[in-house]
Amino acid sequence: MDDIDLLIDLHRKAARQGPGGEAETRLAITLSGLSGRRDLTIADIGCGTGASAIILATSLHADITAVDVLPDFLTELVRRATAAGVAERITPLAASMDALAFEPSSLDAIWSEGAIYNIGFETGVRDWRRFLKPGGILAVSELTWLSAARPAELEDHWSRVYPEVATASAKMALLEAHGYTPVGYFPLPETCWLDNYYRPMQARFDEFLAGHGGAAAARAIVAAERLEIDLYERFSAFVGYGFYVARKRAD
Ligand code: SAH
């Protein structure tokens, strides 16, 4: 089994594939101003098994295209959406976020939780803008420094793994530079990382390793996750996910 199949196996059964939470998705919906509007067209990019897509479908009057590059995650999303009674409002789409084929100016909102890092925040906010209607909403969560200075060990790790990590003010300046007005920001609370993401993942490690006969590639994946969890536990005061809600400017 190659690394991608191993990662699918570790994450497919999870309620979410990245840090986040139902209350936080709902808060971003409130900030977006989309509530109460009708016939919305929304894309959830890097949707995983549907954590946010299903909340969007249950809280808004919207058709949602749920995009992920991994069809296995979309299969699980359809199962969950069916169980939640919203399958007819969610269209799964297996596609890469760097090659999306939405019509220009066709979307009321682009949602993307814990996923834009795959192409980088700046590339994502720049390239996805054309799909939004004027005034359309971009709602993304993104790795963010929570303070002006960080411990060197933490800075070294994330600067290597995700060089675009930056403060919220720097991320908002990028949104402004690329034709958006920021309308809301909040950092995800620790519970979104620990209770909703890392603890359930840790609970799957033993079964995952046993299922792959303790293969070196499986052990390497678990070791990397453990390192990241340890860093987060020690340094959560300095790093987290910021949730950014911004409106596309007409100019
Ligand atoms: N939004 C979900 C998943 C976050 S994990 C949640 O919050 O639970 C990041 C997701 O991005 C994964 O599902 C992964 O398969 C997807 N992904 C990675 N690279 C991608 C790409 N190039 N295009 C589309 N999706 C991608």
Side-chain angles (χ1 to χ4, degrees):
M1 216 181 235
D2 64 19
D3 273 9
I4 288 288
D5 289 325
L6 287 168
L7 284 167
I8 292 169
D9 188 49
L10 178 60
H11 291 285
R12 187 170 49 96
K13 286 286 152 61
R16 52 189 334 121
Q17 286 70 40
E22 182 168 342
E24 289 69 27
T25 299
R26 292 188 189 285
L27 176 54
I29 290 172
T30 301
L31 292 169
S32 76
L34 294 168
S35 305
R37 289 178 48 193
R38 299 187 62 78
D39 299 318
L40 296 166
T41 303
I42 299 177
D44 184 339
I45 301 178
C47 59
T49 59
S52 54
I54 292 169
I55 297 170
L56 291 166
T58 51
S59 349
L60 294 172
H61 189 271
D63 282 325
I64 293 146
T65 303
V67 184
D68 205 281
V69 77
L70 296 178
D72 293 281
F73 286 173
L74 294 173
T75 303
E76 180 65 18
L77 177 148
V78 169
R79 200 186 63 71
R80 285 166 190 258
T82 304
V86 291
E88 76 285 354
R89 298 169 67 174
I90 301 180
T91 305
L93 175 65
S96 182
M97 61 175 77
D98 60 2
L100 297 169
F102 294 109
E103 293 294 321
S105 303
S106 63
L107 300 175
D108 294 292
I110 291 176
W111 214 266
S112 185
E113 297 197 18
I116 198 171
Y117 74 87
N118 285 293
I119 51 170
F121 183 85
E122 184 163 21
T123 298
V125 303
R126 186 191 62 214
D127 291 358
W128 297 347
R129 182 179 183 272
R130 67 179 183 277
F131 303 128
L132 288 171
K133 297 175 184 173
I137 288 291
L138 176 72
V140 293
S141 63
E142 160 77 348
L143 195 74
T144 298
W145 294 134
L146 305 178
S147 59
R150 281 76 50 182
E153 180 185 353
L154 181 71
E155 181 126 21
D156 288 350
H157 172 84
W158 282 117
S159 303
R160 215 169 354 94
V161 174
Y162 186 58
E164 281 191 56
V165 57
T167 56
S169 51
K171 295 286 174 191
M172 281 191 253
L174 274 176
L175 287 166
E176 289 163 348
H178 288 290
Y180 298 86
T181 296
V183 298
Y185 162 78
F186 59 94
L188 292 187
E190 265 186 15
T191 165
C192 285
W193 289 75
L194 297 176
D195 302 326
N196 298 354
Y197 181 54
Y198 283 149
R199 298 292 176 246
M201 191 200 309
Q202 284 173 312
R204 296 192 302 274
F205 282 160
D206 286 347
E207 195 187 336
F208 171 74
L209 289 170
H212 297 285
R219 278 189 282 122
I221 285 173
V222 168
E225 297 287 9
R226 285 194 168 128
L227 181 94
E228 202 188 285
I229 294 168
D230 173 65
L231 264 185
Y232 183 75
E233 285 174 338
R234 286 189 290 135
F235 296 124
S236 61
F238 298 95
V239 71
Y241 264 8
F243 212 132
Y244 300 85
V245 182
R247 185 179 300 120
K248 177 180 174 175
R249 300 177 60 82
D251 44 45

